[in-house]
């Protein structure tokens, strides 16, 4: 065992800490299946990687072909923040061109509250699907749907493409007290 700064007193341990001259600092560079632990036993304090970098690259598991990458998790409370800076950014999740990605957001069996999109200015939201299904709220839970209910001029286009659409609106079961109401103002 080789120990650096292992005393019980408060210490600053610097490796490659000089302010001039580029340092290349390598930890566990060998090709063996190393087990590297950093700040893995402490229950308080902080752990920072590249906290003051304004350029350059920070990579986590960039070449991983199997296994798991975990950020957050466990039973802790608090906030996990991704790309919350004030600059213009492009955030890519599961955008690789090969290999099918299964992306789950807020799918745990609890009453999650999800917000997607912004209402500021010319903000927009595009929800796409290929030849598979686009499914929204198809479980048997009772719920209220609100679409375009804001008190502002809404232009609504649904299934206006030049194709032989099959459109069904409303419950066709005779034994239920289902109802469908369509309103129009003075425009007809």
């Amino acid at each position: 065992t080789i120990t650096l700064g292992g005393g019980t007193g408060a210490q600053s341990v610097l490796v490659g800490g000089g302010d001039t001259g580029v340092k290349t600092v390598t930890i566990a560079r060998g090709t063996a299946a190393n087990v590297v632990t950093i700040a893995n036993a402490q229950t308080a304090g902080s752990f920072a990687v590249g906290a003051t970098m304004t350029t350059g690259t920070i990579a986590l598991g960039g070449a991983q072909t199997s296994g798991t990458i975990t950020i957050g998790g466990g039973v802790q409370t608090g906030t996990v923040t991704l790309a919350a800076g004030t600059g213009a950014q492009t955030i890519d999740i599961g955008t690789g061109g090969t290999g099918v990605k299964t992306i789950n957001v807020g799918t745990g069996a609890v009453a999650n509250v999800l917000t997607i999109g912004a209402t500021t200015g010319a903000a927009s939201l595009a929800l796409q699907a290929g030849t598979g299904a686009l499914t929204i709220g198809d479980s048997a839970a009772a719920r209220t749907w609100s679409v375009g209910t804001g008190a502002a001029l809404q232009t609504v286009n649904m299934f206006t493409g030049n194709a032989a659409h099959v459109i069904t609106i409303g419950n066709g079961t005779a034994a239920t007290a289902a109802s469908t109401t369509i309103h129009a103002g003075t425009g007809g």
Side-chain angles (χ1 to χ4, degrees), residues 58-161:
I58 298 175
L60 298 175
Q64 184 170 0
T65 58
S66 63
T68 301
I69 298 175
T70 301
I71 299 176
V75 297
Q76 84 279 4
T77 60
T79 301
V80 178
T81 302
L82 300 176
T86 58
Q89 296 172 319
T90 298
I91 302 168
D92 295 324
I93 300 176
T95 57
T98 59
V100 175
K101 278 74 174 172
T102 299
I103 301 173
N104 298 308
V105 178
T107 58
V110 292
N112 296 309
V113 179
L114 304 183
T115 301
I116 301 176
T119 60
T120 303
S124 63
L125 173 65
L127 189 63
Q128 305 283 3
T131 57
L134 178 60
T135 303
I136 301 176
D138 69 334
S139 70
R143 62 177 62 87
T144 298
W145 282 61
S146 299
V147 179
T149 58
L153 175 62
Q154 316 283 338
T155 300
V156 181
N157 296 307
M158 298 179 64
F159 317 113
T160 57

Side-chain angles (χ1 to χ4, degrees), residues 5 24 42 61 125:
T24 299
Q42 66 187 53
L125 173 65

